[in-house]
Amino acid sequence: EDKVVQSPLSLVVHEGDTVTLNCSYEVTNFRSLLWYKQEKKAPTFLFMLTSSGIEKKSGRLSSILDKKELSSILNITATQTGDSAIYLCAVLSAGGTSYGKLTFGQGTILTVHP
Amino acid sequence: GAGVSQSPSNKVTEKGKDVELRCDPISGHTALYWYRQRLGQGLEFLIYFQGNSAPDKSGLPSDRFSAERTGESVSTLTIQRTQQEDSAVYLCASSLAGGGPPLHFGNGTRLTVT
């Protein structure tokens, strides 16, 4: 059974701090790893990572995949209160009767205090 | 509308009753997914539709759960004889092509079984 584990489960920081969120996975037929941010309702897409070692960056957020270690990290620098959210990691695997099945981790709840 | 639309946004029902949740995907999106999110947890895959192919139902937790999709449009998730453990947010997502991740989520239906 595919498994995705995130750590820490929750994190409390102050504005300006830098945070690193972790995601590790055990899946068959790995295709890609995705990060989502979930505030109140719908998760919103952040990054999709397919190749190892290539950093993806968007403003203060960046992420990288290590396929040898079966893991990924999401970094947020100079955190702001608006970064408070649940960060979800998901792994897309192929095979079986269909493609496109994402397996999600439990999420990391990030709280940024002013 | 521009995004994935789900209705109702909230549903309170008595244990034992049937409920039907609706999802309108983004027009042109061939792939549609249902996920369940219990309080404080990650997303749990339920079912995946891709075009006219047989759906991947491997995530449905019991035979009380079923889902239908007409062509590449609306989908309904039905839960029969609801139980308290069915209380969760049910999220729908759609994507342009099968095999691609769900990049577009709806705001979900919060189901409370009393």
Side-chain angles (χ1 to χ4, degrees), chain B:
Chain B
V4 177
S5 176
Q6 290 188 247
S7 61
S9 53
N10 280 286
K11 175 76 178 176
V12 180
T13 190
E14 289 179 358
K15 180 180 164 180
K17 302 269 184 169
D18 297 352
V19 295
E20 193 172 276
L21 313 180
R22 177 186 167 107
C23 173
D24 276 284
I26 294 172
S27 178
H29 280 195
T30 59
L32 185 146
Y33 310 74
W34 283 98
Y35 287 87
R36 177 170 71 177
Q37 187 174 31
R38 292 200 167 107
L39 190 63
Q41 297 188 21
L43 275 65
E44 176 189 3
F45 169 78
L46 296 177
I47 188 168
Y48 162 62
F49 294 92
Q50 168 53 34
N52 293 320
S53 302
D56 178 349
K57 303 181 182 180
S58 60
L60 294 179
S62 77
D63 59 9
R64 296 187 295 105
F65 287 71
S66 63
E68 289 185 355
R69 187 181 187 196
T70 308
E72 293 182 354
S73 60
V74 170
S75 174
T76 54
L77 176 70
T78 302
I79 309 173
Q80 295 178 307
R81 305 182 302 283
T82 51
Q83 304 294 313
Q84 287 186 328
E85 64 261 26
D86 299 333
S87 297
V89 175
Y90 290 82
L91 287 161
C92 174
S94 69
S95 70
L96 261 177
L103 298 184
H104 304 273
F105 278 87
N107 282 327
T109 293
R110 181 175 296 280
L111 176 65
T112 305
V113 182
T114 60

Side-chain angles (χ1 to χ4, degrees), chain A residues 31-32 34 36 38 40-45 48 86 88 92 97-107 109, chain B residues 9 33 35 37 40-45 48 54 56 58 91 98-108 110:
Chain A
R31 291 184 65 201
S32 56
L34 296 92
Y36 287 86
Q38 187 178 26
K40 291 192 177 166
K41 294 185 177 180
T44 53
F45 172 74
M48 183 165 78
I86 302 172
L88 295 164
L92 180 69
T97 59
S98 69
Y99 279 20
K101 178 173 154 183
L102 276 186
T103 303
F104 280 82
Q106 328 89 296
I109 302 172
Chain B
S9 53
Y33 310 74
Y35 287 87
Q37 187 174 31
Q41 297 188 21
L43 275 65
E44 176 189 3
F45 169 78
Y48 162 62
D56 178 349
S58 60
L91 287 161
L103 298 184
H104 304 273
F105 278 87
N107 282 327
R110 181 175 296 280

Side-chain angles (χ1 to χ4, degrees), chain A residues 7-112:
Chain A
S7 65
L9 292 181
S10 67
L11 191 53
V12 180
V13 299
H14 287 96
E15 272 192 320
D17 289 349
T18 292
V19 297
T20 298
L21 310 184
N22 301 284
C23 176
S24 62
Y25 59 89
E26 287 178 34
V27 301
T28 50
N29 299 316
F30 174 88
R31 291 184 65 201
S32 56
L33 184 146
L34 296 92
W35 285 96
Y36 287 86
K37 178 182 181 183
Q38 187 178 26
E39 294 178 86
K40 291 192 177 166
K41 294 185 177 180
T44 53
F45 172 74
L46 294 176
F47 299 111
M48 183 165 78
L49 305 158
T50 305
S51 302
S52 212
I54 298 174
E55 186 183 55
K56 293 229 174 167
K57 214 168 156 58
S58 175
R60 297 176 294 102
L61 277 67
S62 63
S63 183
I64 195 160
L65 175 67
D66 186 337
K67 288 164 96 168
K68 196 173 171 185
E69 296 295 325
L70 306 183
S71 66
S72 174
I73 59 170
L74 174 69
N75 280 318
I76 309 175
T77 58
T79 51
Q80 302 171 357
T81 55
D83 296 327
S84 296
I86 302 172
Y87 289 84
L88 295 164
C89 173
V91 172
L92 180 69
S93 55
T97 59
S98 69
Y99 279 20
K101 178 173 154 183
L102 276 186
T103 303
F104 280 82
Q106 328 89 296
T108 293
I109 302 172
L110 175 65
T111 305
V112 182

